[in-house]
Amino acid sequence: ITERNVDKVIEPNTFGERGFPSYALKNNNAEIRRVRQRMEAIKARRERQQAAEDAGGVAIAIAGEYANITFPEAPPRETRDALKAAGFRYHKGTWIGRADRIPAGIANE
């Protein structure tokens, strides 16, 4: 708490109430939750990017009929266009699509 905030807490407002107004404290838990979720999402993205770097530039995870393709950085325009043409969609740092439609040359990047 800064000195300015201490002065605000000690001095009564026009109604004679002391302390922080209730509206100033209402959304703190929601803001804390939002920031924690954002930090978890960033951490998960960094882990996926690190896995892609460790795999030699691209990480391909196949689960059943679908494949998740992750690059450590944004792939070149030609690669993105090939993925889109094959029916892959970008979602939260990963390209997701059918495993049997992985474009040729993606694993070689």
Side-chain angles (χ1 to χ4, degrees), residues 47-59 72:
E47 289 173 355
R48 284 193 306 266
Q49 290 173 342
Q50 186 61 42
E53 287 178 12
D54 293 345
V58 63

Side-chain angles (χ1 to χ4, degrees), residues 45 48-53 57-60 68-76 79-80 83 90 93-95 105-107 109:
R45 183 180 308 139
R48 284 193 306 266
Q49 290 173 342
Q50 186 61 42
E53 287 178 12
V58 63
I60 300 175
N68 295 335
I69 302 175
T70 304
F71 297 92
E73 299 176 354
T79 303
R80 292 192 306 255
L83 287 166
Y90 186 79
T94 302
W95 289 87
I106 296 292
E109 289 191 18

